Every structure is written in C-alpha cells, then in structure tokens.
Amino acid sequence: MNVVSFYRFFEVADPESAASHLRTQLGKLELVGTLLIASEGVNASLAHQDLDLLRCAVQLVETSTGASSLRAKYSTARPDNPVFYRLKVKVRDEIIQFGKPLTSSDPLGVHVQVNEWNELLDDPDVLVLDIRNDYEIEAGAFDNAVPVGIERFAEFESRIENLIEVHGKSTIAMYCTGGIRCEKASNALLASGCEAVHQLDGGVLGYLEMVKPSESRWHGECFVFDQRVSVDAKLSQGSYDQCHACRRAISETDKESSLYVKSVSCPYCFHETSERQKAQFAERAKQEALANARGERHVGVLQT
C-alpha cells in the first residue's frame, strides 16, 4: 500500500465547492484517507495500492483548489494494511487545529534543509524544540531535542511563555512530522518576540527522505496518524502497534507487560484510566469484533 501526504497554506477561494468536487473525483479513484480544506489551505494523507493513482489525486487537488506544486511525500505500508478505513473530504476552519487560521501576511520561521538542520542540532546556542505530542516522541526523536510537553498541538501557544522564561528568546529550531505544525508554531513564537526561528523543511518525513543514512541524526521511528502507527528510516511501515486507549506507540516488549490488555490498556496508561473507562474500551473492542465478524467496520470515536 502506498501513502501520500501533503499540505499547503494558501488562500482557497471556495472551500465548500472544492471539497464537493474532490469528494466525487477522489471517490472515483477509490482512495482512502483524509483531505481537509479550509480558507487557509489544504492538508491531506491518502492511500492506494496504485502509486500513479495517488499522483493523479495530488494533481486533482492542485487543479480543484488552486494550489500550485504541492510538495507530496510518499511512503509505504504493508500490503495487508489499508492505512485508512474510508475516504473523508472535509471543510474545516483550519487545516491544523490551533485556534486561528494562518494568513498570507503572517511571518513564518526560516525553512532549513537537511545539512543546515544537522548544523543547528550541533549548535549549543540553538534551542531545538520537538513540538509534537508527547506520545509521538516516545517512538523516535532527534539528538538534543527538547519536548515542548503537550498532549495536543492546540496547547502549544499556552506553553510559549514558559519556554521563553526557561530558555530565553534564543535562536530556536523546531520540527514536527511533516512541517505543518511548525508553520503555525513559528508564527506564534515570532509574535511572542522571538527573533530567530527556524523550522525543518518537510518535517521528519522530508528529512528521512533526503538525508543519507550515514548523516542521519534521527533515532527510532516516526509516529504517523494512521494505521501504520510509525514509519522507519526508509519511510516503510514501522514496528510499532498502538494502544487504542491512549494512542501511544507500543512495542512488542510493551505488549508482554501484565498491564497490557489489547484495546483496553498498556503499561503507559494503565494507571491513568478508571475501571469505568477500561470497561468502555473493552465494550468498544467487543463491538469492533462483532462488526468484523459480520464483514463490517465498526468505527468508534476517540477524541484526544
């Protein structure tokens, strides 16, 4: 299974019309995945066995929304992994939830490439921020990166004051999975008075695509928001599974723990949930198993 992900901030004149058209056209291609459209741009992750169809889908999004030269990143999953259950094309206020849309006049951080990024990692005067959620970081990270300490990206802005208090308004270099979160985070930091803000162009996925293995400073795997859970240094499906209760990436060793119950708990969250919550997770797993036995998909709701 092939996967393509991309985003772009630009002014979309008529998000509703573009979404309606793409819902029909992408549906004809029998793709699965999610495409978000807002007045501030587009954000997507789509999957299909046929790589050429995915390339066609990227072109359809470009022509239907007015985007130009979407920088698509391709990766793979195991053949038996559908990656997504179905196709969702939705109109949102934002393509990444932060609390306010990004405009073309908003200042952003300086995009840096692989070689520059490695230099920033080695610079003792640079604060390297990992702005991903804490549960993502457990699967892998860069050398010397400082976690912001959030469970949801929307919390980032509330952490800025503390970051500045602890580290000062120093030179900052930040990264996320694909780059989209850094766009809004860098704007928020600049608005708070930070003068030198850099962001890894293309995020971790772009870095792994471009860096030579001998020069890579990435350790572990990269968490992704689909059924693969993580990808390795070759952008192929990684080795992690996911706890359905807390969304953390879990290893085979984690599953050997007495605190691991499939779909109910893992060693990281066992003491964080009540017996009532565990019972709810168990019931959800039961309904999923019944749906699968009927040849259907039971899609529950897990908000984080």
Side-chain angles (χ1 to χ4, degrees):
M1 182 67 77
N2 293 290
V3 183
V4 63
S5 59
F6 56 84
Y7 76 89
R8 187 178 180 87
F9 286 100
F10 67 103
E11 185 176 347
V12 180
D14 190 345
E16 291 286 355
S17 177
S20 178
H21 177 71
L22 285 166
R23 197 173 290 115
T24 299
Q25 297 303 312
L26 296 179
K28 290 179 180 178
L29 298 179
E30 299 183 340
L31 302 174
V32 291
T34 301
L35 169 62
L36 302 180
I37 306 177
S39 59
E40 68 174 1
V42 296
N43 180 20
S45 188
L46 305 167
H48 198 279
Q49 294 283 6
D50 191 327
L51 185 58
D52 288 334
L53 279 181
L54 285 182
R55 293 193 175 105
C56 180
V58 174
Q59 293 176 350
L60 279 171
V61 174
E62 289 177 342
T63 56
S64 300
T65 63
S68 59
S69 303
L70 287 171
R71 293 181 56 194
K73 294 185 283 292
Y74 295 90
S75 53
T76 61
R78 289 192 289 266
D80 61 342
N81 187 347
V83 186
F84 300 99
Y85 285 124
R86 61 189 184 277
L87 175 66
K88 295 185 288 185
V89 179
K90 297 186 175 183
V91 176
R92 291 283 188 260
D93 293 332
E94 300 175 80
I95 58 173
I96 181 69
Q97 191 64 37
F98 192 65
K100 56 184 177 182
L102 198 64
T103 69
S104 58
S105 61
D106 288 331
L108 303 177
V110 177
H111 285 239
V112 297
Q113 306 302 316
V114 170
N115 290 340
E116 297 171 281
W117 180 255
N118 284 354
E119 292 176 4
L120 290 172
L121 290 175
D122 292 330
D123 191 332
D125 296 324
V126 173
L127 170 64
V128 179
L129 290 181
D130 187 329
I131 69 167
R132 299 173 302 155
N133 302 321
D134 286 343
Y135 61 84
E136 299 175 68
I137 296 171
E138 292 168 0
F142 279 110
D143 292 329
N144 305 322
V146 176
V148 174
I150 55 177
E151 290 299 320
R152 299 179 63 182
F153 178 54
E155 300 171 4
F156 177 82
E157 197 163 22
S158 67
R159 299 286 296 159
I160 292 178
E161 183 177 344
N162 181 66
L163 287 170
I164 292 176
E165 181 179 340
V166 173
H167 302 284
K169 297 179 181 180
S170 58
T171 299
I172 294 174
M174 66 175 67
Y175 69 93
C176 60
T177 306
I180 187 171
R181 285 177 278 186
C182 284
E183 306 282 14
K184 290 197 171 184
S186 67
N187 174 253
L189 285 169
L190 290 168
S192 297
C194 297
E195 297 180 358
V197 179
H198 301 80
Q199 58 194 77
L200 176 58
D201 191 61
V204 178
L205 297 180
Y207 180 91
L208 294 177
E209 180 183 21
M210 300 299 296
V211 71
K212 296 178 182 178
S214 61
E215 298 176 0
S216 179
R217 303 292 297 280
W218 177 261
H219 297 291
E221 298 179 7
C222 180
F223 185 97
V224 291
F225 292 92
D226 57 55
Q227 293 180 62
R228 294 172 297 172
V229 184
S230 67
V231 295
D232 60 22
K234 296 181 180 180
L235 298 180
S236 299
Q237 182 169 334
S239 62
Y240 283 91
D241 200 346
Q242 188 173 34
C243 174
H244 290 277
C246 67
R247 297 184 65 189
R248 289 181 174 93
I250 52 176
S251 66
E252 291 303 313
T253 301
D254 293 327
K255 289 194 221 178
E256 294 174 1
S257 168
S258 60
L259 302 182
Y260 171 72
V261 179
K262 185 177 181 180
S263 301
V264 176
S265 66
C266 73
Y268 302 105
C269 72
F270 183 86
H271 297 293
E272 297 176 352
T273 56
S274 66
E275 291 304 315
R276 180 172 177 271
Q277 289 173 310
K278 290 182 176 68
Q280 290 175 332
F281 296 148
E283 178 60 26
R284 181 177 184 273
K286 177 182 176 181
Q287 294 303 319
E288 286 179 341
L290 291 172
N292 289 336
R294 296 191 301 267
E296 301 172 355
R297 284 194 177 107
H298 174 79
V299 183
V301 178
L302 178 62
Q303 299 291 340
T304 60

